Amino acid sequence: MARQLRAEQTRATIIGAAADLFDRHGYESTSLSEIVAHAGVTKGALYFHFAAKEDLAQAIMEIQCRTFRRLVRDLDGRGYSSLEALLRLTFGMTRVYEEGPVLRAGLRLATAGVPVRPPLPHPFTEWRQTATSQLLNAVRQSDVQPDIDVDSVAHALVSSVVGTCVVGAALEPAGRQPRRLAEMWCIRIRGMVPVARRARYLSLAARLERETGTA
């Protein structure tokens, strides 16, 4: 049991070190030797858990996938409207991305075109499917205009969220991300939410910005 625990701790240490380097320097610019040195482990320990750098990237994206699905599950059954759940999901992702390098590295890997091995879906595919499902429900709940092209809006929404994170990380302090996300949502809300319900969701975006920034 103790040996298994040590092995799990070593694996987690290696993933954390790789994620930190991927996040700061990029996947292609990071070598396994640098990961070994940053993790403070031997090459043998690294190769015991990961045969190649691609395996480390896969492990990071698996953690990203599990985190996203956990956030979705946590929002289910809380009585939120579908549009509110979608807003809360995006702010929740912003919050966890600031908690450590693993999820930030996952986003960088996804935007860098690093292959994702089946059966794990590409994160943007899963995010778009989730956004599509929530938007379809939001149309039925009269929170979104009935004449929108849901697939197009879901694609644009995911692109906007990802772009906000990537551009913000490159140009601004991390603490600015909630404000930028709220600004993005205000534009989307004004374009797709009926006038009678617009104030509710604009207020929600502002509140989530404050809560996420405080967190």
Side-chain angles (χ1 to χ4, degrees):
M1 182 66 70
R3 181 179 298 177
Q4 181 181 352
L5 179 60
R6 285 196 300 271
E8 291 173 354
Q9 291 172 338
T10 299
R11 186 177 189 275
T13 297
I14 294 168
I15 290 174
D20 186 41
L21 293 175
F22 292 162
D23 177 42
R24 290 192 283 125
H25 305 303
Y27 176 78
E28 295 295 340
S29 298
T30 300
S31 68
L32 285 176
S33 295
E34 290 170 327
I35 295 170
V36 166
H38 194 47
V41 300
T42 65
K43 284 189 176 180
L46 185 145
Y47 285 118
F48 176 80
H49 294 282
F50 303 101
K53 189 166 67 170
E54 293 84 353
D55 297 328
L56 273 163
Q58 183 75 6
I60 289 169
M61 287 190 281
E62 287 172 354
I63 293 171
Q64 181 185 58
C65 179
R66 290 198 300 270
T67 302
F68 176 78
R69 292 175 180 177
R70 174 179 57 79
L71 288 173
V72 172
R73 288 195 305 271
D74 287 348
L75 289 167
D76 285 345
R78 294 197 176 191
Y80 298 133
S81 70
S82 293
L83 186 56
E84 178 170 351
L86 189 54
L87 265 81
R88 288 183 176 277
L89 177 60
T90 59
F91 279 94
M93 290 295 287
T94 296
R95 184 182 296 114
V96 297
Y97 277 126
E98 297 309 317
E99 291 176 353
V102 175
L103 298 179
R104 292 196 302 272
L107 182 61
R108 184 157 184 174
L109 291 169
T111 57
V114 176
V116 181
R117 299 176 193 159
L120 192 70
H122 193 284
F124 298 161
T125 299
E126 186 165 21
W127 299 355
R128 191 169 59 183
Q129 290 171 344
T130 298
T132 297
S133 175
Q134 296 286 44
L135 288 169
L136 284 170
N137 286 333
V139 170
R140 287 191 282 267
Q141 293 164 0
S142 300
D143 280 333
V144 170
Q145 301 282 6
D147 58 347
I148 70 164
D149 183 331
V150 170
D151 289 336
S152 296
V153 172
H155 182 91
L157 179 61
V158 171
S159 300
S160 295
V161 172
V162 172
T164 297
C165 291
V166 172
V167 173
L171 300 179
E172 299 177 324
R176 187 73 173 171
Q177 290 281 14
R179 167 64 63 85
R180 293 302 189 192
L181 187 60
E183 291 170 347
M184 182 279 296
W185 266 113
C186 286
I187 294 169
R188 294 290 169 192
I189 289 166
R190 290 189 176 99
M192 67 183 187
V193 175
V195 173
R197 305 197 177 192
R198 203 170 289 170
R200 171 189 175 186
Y201 289 104
L202 290 172
S203 175
L204 175 62
R207 186 168 76 249
L208 291 174
E209 176 201 338
R210 292 193 298 271
E211 291 174 359
T212 305
T214 300

